[in-house]
């Protein structure tokens, strides 16, 4: 199973194995990784599963939908590598993905 | 206090299930004033979750009621089909009194206006405000009488949220209760008892003009000074807002006043009522105060301070097997979605440590999601962080008086008594 590394804002790392097809958000929530709230439960409707995708991985996570772009537009501290983790589906080519969490979800 | 309310609820349930489906009218203010809308919502969820009310149910005509969690989510996140213009309430704007505000706008104008004010509730700014919020809560709680009945709504909920709002606007402190009044006037119906003459609509408009005149003086002060961190300065200097006309300024002011005041105020009162009705949950919280954030989310779900939002279809759209026509008015009932057993386990119960307490609809979802949600949570969290060490119990003396509104699930008053203070803090 592909592994994803979640890095909390203060630096704690969590390496989690995810089944393909799961979202990066679900992987964190189901394993109790702190730092991702996911208020809407994965509907791309709240921007509280915001992550920064580590260098070199952004393209592999796929393109953002118009809705994700809209929701990120209202999130805090958005950068070029910002994604909503409920919108990143795990596939084999994402094995080794690294995402960092913002200071807080907003 | 509960016997009468139990009778009322049983009676409402019997009535809700006995009447023909087409007679159920969720726009009937009485259902909300008496807190008896629940069985009607439940029946619609089960039997007709995308339901068309006939034109005679409301002065502004026919409307759809969407009552299931998933359908509400589908509408709320589809802002292209379900527009927030021209209004986000069941009432249509009056031709001669239109109040543009960004909650009732679609992109792109909504986006730029919202972004003008959203920095005030950024995480960094909330951190800065936290000590001030705490000191005010401490002062308010420490001044409460012990063993003597008082109105929790006026002494605590209104006072704290009005102070907060005055700070956000940098509003003259001694005049701050004007904000409470304008908030009530903006949301109260003409039959709410707020108005005293035989022409309540003119009275209402006159008070709202007074509001915008007062705020125009503040605008003029701020626009001629360097930009600073309060909402009026942000609006006066913001590119997307600095050229607003008088009605648009008033509309956005009312949005910020109601959004920043009424909702948190009623959830504060709701938290006291919920704990009074669920003493086992209070014990759980007292034994484990780290549950406060989870309790805050559960209270926001349980209270659902805005029972619905209205959208208007921009084209024909099929939802739940029904055809919603272009131009139709659609009410998404957050209060119902938050009690939908297919989305939330045991939704009738108030459970402060439920598994996913944040998965509620009270803030809405999608691009119009409540901009101040973190500030609301912060105020409620601090309130309970300061209540727990002080008071073992806050006893509700009788059923609270609820406001007669289809939109606002709120309390006009709620008499309580605090029997004693905890020994450690009793000096």
């Amino acid at each position: 199973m592909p592994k994803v590394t979640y890095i909390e804002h203060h630096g704690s790392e969590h390496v989690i194995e995810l089944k393909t097809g799961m979202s990066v958000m679900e992987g964190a929530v189901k394993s109790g990784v702190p730092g991702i709230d996911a208020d809407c439960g994965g509907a791309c409707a709240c921007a509280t599963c915001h992550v920064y995708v580590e260098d070199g991985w952004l393209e592999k996570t796929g393109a953002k939908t118009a809705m994700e772009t809209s929701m990120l537009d209202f999130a805090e501290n958005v950068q070029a590598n910002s994604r909503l983790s409920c919108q990143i589906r795990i596939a084999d080519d994402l094995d080794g993905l690294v995402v960092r969490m913002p200071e807080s979800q907003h | 206090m509960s016997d009468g309310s139990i009778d009322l609820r049983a009676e409402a349930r019997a009535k809700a299930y006995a009447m023909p489906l087409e007679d159920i009218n969720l726009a009937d203010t009485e259902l909300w004033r008496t807190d008896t809308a629940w069985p009607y919502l439940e029946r619609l969820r089960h039997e007709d979750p995308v339901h068309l009310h006939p034109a005679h149910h409301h002065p502004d005509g026919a409307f759809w009621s969407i009552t299931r969690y998933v359908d509400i989510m589908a509408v709320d996140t589809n802002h292209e089909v379900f527009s927030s213009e021209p209004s986000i309430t069941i009432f249509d704007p009056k031709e001669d009194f239109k109040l543009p505000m960004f909650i009732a706008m679609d992109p792109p104008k909504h986006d730029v206006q919202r972004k003008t004010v959203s920095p005030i509730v950024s995480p960094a700014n909330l951190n800065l405000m936290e000590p001030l919020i705490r000191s005010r809560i401490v002062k308010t709680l420490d001044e409460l009488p012990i063993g003597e009945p008082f109105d929790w709504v006026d002494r605590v909920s209104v006072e704290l949220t009005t102070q907060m709002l005055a700070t956000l606007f940098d509003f003259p402190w001694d005049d701050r209760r004007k904000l409470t009044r304008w908030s009530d006037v903006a949301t109260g119906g003409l039959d709410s008892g707020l108005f005293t003459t035989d022409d309540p609509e003119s009275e209402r408009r006159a008070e709202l003009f007074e509001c915008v005149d007062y705020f125009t003086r503040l605008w003029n002060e701020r626009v001629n000074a360097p930009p600073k961190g309060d909402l009026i300065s942000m609006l006066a200097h913001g590119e997307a807002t600095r050229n607003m006309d008088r009605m648009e300024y008033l509309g956005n002011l009312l949005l910020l006043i109601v959004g920043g005041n009424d909702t948190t105020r009623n959830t504060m009162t709701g938290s006291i009522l919920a704990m009074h009705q669920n003493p086992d949950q209070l014990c759980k919280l007292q034994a484990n105060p780290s549950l406060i954030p989870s309790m805050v989310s559960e209270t926001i779900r349980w209270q659902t301070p805005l029972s619905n939002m209205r959208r208007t279809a921009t084209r024909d759209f099929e939802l739940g097997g029904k055809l919603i026509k272009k131009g139709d008015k659609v009410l998404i009932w957050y209060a119902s979605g938050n009690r939908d057993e297919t989305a939330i386990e045991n939704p009738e119960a108030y459970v402060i440590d439920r598994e996913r307490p944040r998965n509620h609809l009270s803030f809405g979802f999608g691009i119009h999601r409540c901009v101040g949600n973190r500030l609301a949570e912060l105020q409620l969290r601090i309130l309970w962080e300061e209540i727990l060490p002080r008071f073992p119990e806050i006893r509700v003396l009788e059923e609270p008086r609820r406001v007669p509104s289809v939109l606002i699930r709120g309390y006009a008053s709620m008499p309580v008594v605090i029997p004693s203070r905890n020994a450690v803090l009793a000096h």
Side-chain angles (χ1 to χ4, degrees), chain B residues 365-376:
Chain B
F365 281 115
I367 61 166
H368 294 283
R369 184 168 167 79
C370 175
V371 71
N373 60 351
R374 296 296 183 180
L375 176 59

Side-chain angles (χ1 to χ4, degrees), chain B residues 213-233:
Chain B
D213 290 344
Y214 193 109
F215 270 101
T216 299
R217 290 197 295 276
L218 300 183
W219 175 290
N220 292 339
E221 258 170 53
R222 312 276 154 96
V223 78
N224 294 317
K228 57 190 189 79
D230 69 85
L231 286 169
I232 303 306
S233 180

Side-chain angles (χ1 to χ4, degrees), chain A residues 25 29 37-41 43-48 66-67 70-71 73-74 76-77 103-106, chain B residues 69 73 77 79 110-111 114-115 118 121-123 126-127 356 358-360 365-367 369 371 373-374:
Chain A
M25 177 279 282
V29 168
D37 290 348
D39 290 4
C40 77
C44 193
C46 69
T48 65
M67 188 64 183
S70 292
M71 293 314 300
D73 201 25
F74 300 115
E76 283 291 321
N77 301 318
E103 187 173 3
S104 61
Q105 296 290 350
H106 198 68
Chain B
Y69 188 104
M73 187 69 121
T77 55
H79 56 266
H110 157 267
D111 303 5
R114 176 182 168 121
K115 277 194 249 177
S118 62
V121 287
S122 70
L126 294 185
N127 285 340
R356 305 294 311 278
R358 304 190 59 85
N359 288 171
H360 62 72
F365 281 115
I367 61 166
R369 184 168 167 79
V371 71
N373 60 351
R374 296 296 183 180

Side-chain angles (χ1 to χ4, degrees), chain B residues 145-257:
Chain B
I146 300 298
E148 213 180 281
F150 64 94
D151 177 15
W152 180 271
V153 172
D154 185 64
R155 285 278 303 249
V156 184
S157 306
V158 168
E159 189 51 37
L160 288 175
T161 50
T162 303
Q163 288 184 6
M164 186 75 248
L165 200 55
T167 300
L168 297 178
F169 283 126
D170 193 11
F171 191 87
W173 192 249
D174 291 340
D175 278 351
R176 66 185 184 278
R177 283 281 175 141
K178 284 183 188 292
L179 296 167
T180 323
R181 172 72 190 177
W182 291 327
S183 182
D184 292 343
V185 167
T187 60
L190 298 178
D191 56 352
S192 58
L194 288 164
F195 308 104
T196 50
T197 66
D198 54 6
D199 185 5
E201 179 61 25
S202 303
E203 211 182 326
R204 191 174 96 95
R205 290 181 188 190
E207 282 206 56
L208 295 179
F209 284 134
E210 215 178 277
C211 168
V212 74
D213 290 344
Y214 193 109
F215 270 101
T216 299
R217 290 197 295 276
L218 300 183
W219 175 290
N220 292 339
E221 258 170 53
R222 312 276 154 96
V223 78
N224 294 317
K228 57 190 189 79
D230 69 85
L231 286 169
I232 303 306
S233 180
M234 285 171 158
L235 290 172
H237 291 277
E239 204 171 313
T241 46
R242 67 180 178 213
N243 294 319
M244 291 186 294
D245 66 23
R246 186 169 183 242
M247 291 307 270
E248 191 171 352
Y249 183 36
L250 176 57
N252 276 315
L253 284 169
L254 295 177
L255 165 61
L256 296 165
I257 290 173

Side-chain angles (χ1 to χ4, degrees), chain B residues 269-342:
Chain B
T269 306
S271 72
I272 302 299
L273 182 62
M275 285 300 177
H276 174 83
Q277 292 175 350
N278 299 275
D280 58 320
Q281 300 300 308
L282 179 59
C283 289
K284 208 190 279 179
L285 190 66
Q286 286 166 332
N288 183 6
S290 72
L291 288 173
I292 289 175
S294 165
M295 177 278 284
V296 165
S297 289
E298 174 66 349
T299 307
I300 294 168
R301 179 191 75 88
W302 183 88
Q303 178 61 32
T304 318
L306 295 177
S307 62
N308 70 81
M309 281 280 136
R310 172 256 185 99
R311 300 289 184 256
T312 305
T314 58
R315 61 172 171 85
D316 291 2
F317 190 83
E318 199 184 306
L319 185 70
K322 301 281 183 84
L323 185 66
I324 294 173
K325 291 280 184 92
K326 178 179 180 178
D328 282 359
K329 190 188 291 192
V330 178
L331 295 198
I332 42 178
W333 291 94
Y334 296 144
S336 176
N338 278 339
R339 296 288 192 280
D340 181 349
E341 64 278 15
T342 63

Side-chain angles (χ1 to χ4, degrees), chain A residues 2 19-22 60 88-95:
Chain A
K19 282 191 199 136
T20 49
M22 266 175 100
K60 283 188 183 155
I88 307 174
R89 292 271 153 213
I90 285 299
D92 288 333
D93 67 341
L94 285 177
D95 185 22

